[in-house]
Amino acid sequence: MRGTPYPTLDGLVRAARSLVAARPGTLRLRVAGTSRAGEPLWLLSAGHGSRQVLTVAGAHANEPVGGASSLRLAGEFARDPAVLEALDCTWNLLLCLDPDGTRLGERWMTARPPGAPSSEPESHEPHEPHEPQEPHEPQEPREPYELRGSHEPREPWTPTVEEYFRGFYRPDFGGHPEFPPAAGDPRPPIPESRALMALIDDLRPVVQFSLHGVDVGGSFLQLTRSMPGVPEAFRAVVAELGVPLEHRPFDGMEWFVDSPGVLVRPEGAPDDDRDPSGFTSQSTWLYPMRYGAVSAVVEAPLWGVAAVGDPSPVADPERAIARAADVLLSRTKELEEALGGRAHRPPSDARGTPYYTAARELMDIGPGVVGTWTTYDARGLGGSALAATAGNAASLGIAARRIPLRAAAMMRQAFTDAPEGTAALDALVRDWSHELTTTFGARWLPVHRQTSLHLRTMRHVAARLLTGRPPAR
């Protein structure tokens, strides 16, 4: 095997055990909960300070960079525990919040996804969940991560956008652990959500970091309250690393645009968040606020697009929105036609059901997404209207392509049991991945830079909160 650009779920645990074995006085590993499928939720803790910091990785199945960042940060603490002593904190790293989804989402790195050219036979064998174990008998991680030094490691391969989407998985909106149902919803939170909230109740952290990795675009930061000095420091980190900055991110449409690349939750904003599918949730990002804590959501792109940071004004924003809406709706229709009778018929093989359910939801939200775009009111939210800048128009164009591409990729995987008629789906994934890459000049961002963005941002926010000053360089 050629290796993986990120640690797999099993690789995360192997590497964590290895680190604990090397530094048992600094690091500890325990199970903080169990997933719907019985997978353990591993918590790696560093230091023995009186104040708690919590980092959550792997909340989205298609965003593996958070686990890599967590391992790298733990490795740095293992080498220099004095950093934690100076902050008087214990830093807790939840290595993967959605292990069930990650098992499906990591196939683009570990196996030949359906439709990918290869002479090897396809394999779609289900994974047997691991029983929780105490951290003993450490093994060397198989992933190519240098946890002992700070230099930029050589990556085993440079993935393409098509390779990524060939194995793409991201669950339907109700399956995201960071977004449990709002109060009054008859559906109970999933076990992963309950475990995270219980962990927050137990730790009462000063700050919660949520590490994310948008597939194509730029970096941005979301804060649940304003933090003087942090936006400027974040943009400085982004610039130093040469990472594109998302001028006006599409996440947090109802959040205040503090400044380019930084969103802050407005004071007095409702706790409920309604997504395009109609699912209403209460984000776990807000849960620590009951203890006076702040949450910081840090996005690091896998493939960067320089255009998303262009502040140049757009002459006709409405036209840019209309073009994006046409792309989204027309491609969704094209996907419906490619599927034919299968568009509304789940696969006979139950292993394809998660892919189908998530893809079908994406195919149904198009009109709602377009409605949000055309009626968005920026008054009171920083005045950053949609498509008013070239950067935001580019972000809008990427979003319009991302939704049907994700749906097509998951539909292709849903029907591995019925290969007839999948050539059209293969063509859509291939052509749309290529068009997304070439239209926006998407360039792979080395994993070391993705993780550096996460680590430097977390260090700065934590230092500001715990010491009142920026971290030492």
Side-chain angles (χ1 to χ4, degrees):
M1 195 172 94
R2 58 185 170 181
T4 63
Y6 304 97
T8 61
L9 183 58
D10 291 336
L12 279 173
V13 180
R14 282 195 300 267
R17 286 175 172 157
S18 181
L19 284 168
V20 170
R23 296 289 187 275
T26 300
L27 300 172
R28 303 166 301 286
L29 186 64
R30 69 177 177 91
V31 174
T34 307
S35 74
R36 286 156 286 177
E39 292 270 7
L41 306 181
W42 292 102
L43 184 74
L44 180 61
S45 299
H48 302 276
S50 63
R51 295 175 293 184
Q52 302 291 326
V53 174
L54 175 62
T55 292
V56 179
H60 290 155
N62 63 305
E63 301 178 4
V65 63
S69 297
S70 296
L71 284 185
R72 183 176 167 191
L73 184 61
E76 292 186 2
F77 291 150
R79 289 190 299 274
D80 186 11
V83 172
L84 297 170
E85 295 170 7
L87 295 173
D88 183 26
C89 80
T90 301
W91 203 303
N92 305 276
L93 301 150
L94 191 59
L95 297 178
C96 183
L97 180 59
D98 183 13
D100 300 349
T102 297
R103 290 286 182 199
L104 300 177
E106 69 186 15
R107 291 183 66 238
W108 70 277
M109 299 188 295
T110 61
R112 181 177 71 89
S118 173
S119 58
E120 300 175 6
E122 281 191 14
S123 175
H124 199 353
E125 293 301 314
H127 173 82
E128 293 297 327
H130 288 282
E131 291 294 326
Q133 301 177 27
E134 290 301 315
H136 66 286
E137 297 182 7
Q139 305 176 49
E140 283 299 312
R142 297 176 187 172
E143 281 67 31
Y145 291 94
E146 178 56 71
L147 298 176
R148 301 177 181 84
S150 60
H151 65 280
E152 184 162 344
R154 179 183 179 185
E155 295 187 7
W157 56 296
T158 299
T160 66
V161 172
E162 181 184 353
E163 284 177 317
Y164 169 79
F165 278 107
R166 284 288 177 194
F168 183 87
Y169 176 71
R170 184 181 174 106
D172 58 286
F173 289 110
H176 290 272
E178 285 190 320
F179 298 98
D185 192 306
R187 292 170 292 186
I190 60 177
E192 297 89 335
S193 302
R194 293 199 301 269
L196 176 55
M197 291 186 287
L199 182 61
I200 293 171
D201 287 335
D202 179 44
L203 297 177
R204 301 197 176 193
V206 175
V207 57
Q208 174 188 221
F209 296 104
S210 181
L211 304 183
H212 290 261
V214 63
D215 41 34
V216 177
S219 181
F220 59 93
L221 175 67
Q222 291 179 257
L223 298 169
T224 53
R225 73 164 183 257
S226 179
M227 293 189 65
V230 168
E232 295 80 6
F234 171 70
R235 283 191 291 274
V237 167
V238 170
E240 289 171 6
L241 292 171
V243 179
L245 181 73
E246 194 96 18
H247 193 74
R248 197 291 174 220
F250 276 90
D251 285 35
M253 294 283 284
E254 302 303 319
W255 289 43
F256 181 79
V257 183
D258 174 272
S259 52
V262 179
L263 302 177
V264 177
R265 181 176 179 269
E267 289 188 23
D271 291 342
D272 295 356
D273 180 40
R274 186 179 177 86
D275 63 47
S277 74
F279 179 73
T280 302
S281 65
Q282 287 182 320
S283 174
T284 56
W285 301 342
L286 309 182
Y287 194 79
M289 294 176 68
R290 66 192 59 201
Y291 303 117
V294 61
S295 289
V297 185
V298 192
E299 288 274 1
L302 280 63
W303 284 269
V305 173
V308 300
D310 187 349
S312 305
V314 170
D316 190 351
E318 291 185 2
R319 184 182 176 189
I321 294 172
R323 282 199 303 266
D326 180 68
V327 169
L328 171 56
L329 297 178
S330 64
R331 290 194 177 184
T332 300
K333 181 180 179 181
E334 189 176 353
L335 176 55
E336 292 271 5
E337 294 171 349
L339 287 164
R342 292 178 296 180
H344 294 277
R345 187 176 67 244
S348 57
D349 189 333
R351 290 174 296 181
T353 300
Y355 299 98
Y356 175 85
T357 302
R360 185 66 257 178
E361 185 175 71
L362 290 179
M363 293 171 67
D364 291 337
I365 66 173
V369 172
V370 170
T372 300
W373 291 347
T374 56
T375 61
Y376 179 72
D377 187 353
R379 290 176 296 181
L381 297 174
S384 185
L386 292 191
T389 66
N392 192 238
S395 299
L396 189 65
I398 293 170
R401 289 161 171 82
R402 175 186 291 126
I403 294 172
L405 176 52
R406 287 178 171 181
M410 289 192 287
M411 279 297 188
R412 174 59 183 92
Q413 296 183 89
F415 291 104
T416 54
D417 63 319
E420 66 279 359
T422 55
L425 293 176
D426 285 332
L428 291 181
V429 175
R430 181 190 66 240
D431 295 346
W432 289 350
S433 296
H434 179 73
E435 191 268 345
L436 176 62
T437 303
T438 56
T439 298
F440 295 97
R443 299 182 63 122
W444 173 252
L445 190 70
V447 174
H448 191 271
R449 278 199 277 164
Q450 297 174 37
T451 59
S452 291
L453 192 152
H454 279 161
L455 267 62
R456 293 190 196 180
T457 302
M458 287 192 290
R459 282 183 175 278
H460 191 95
V461 172
R464 286 271 181 177
L465 285 169
L466 298 173
T467 70
R469 59 184 184 274
R473 295 288 293 182

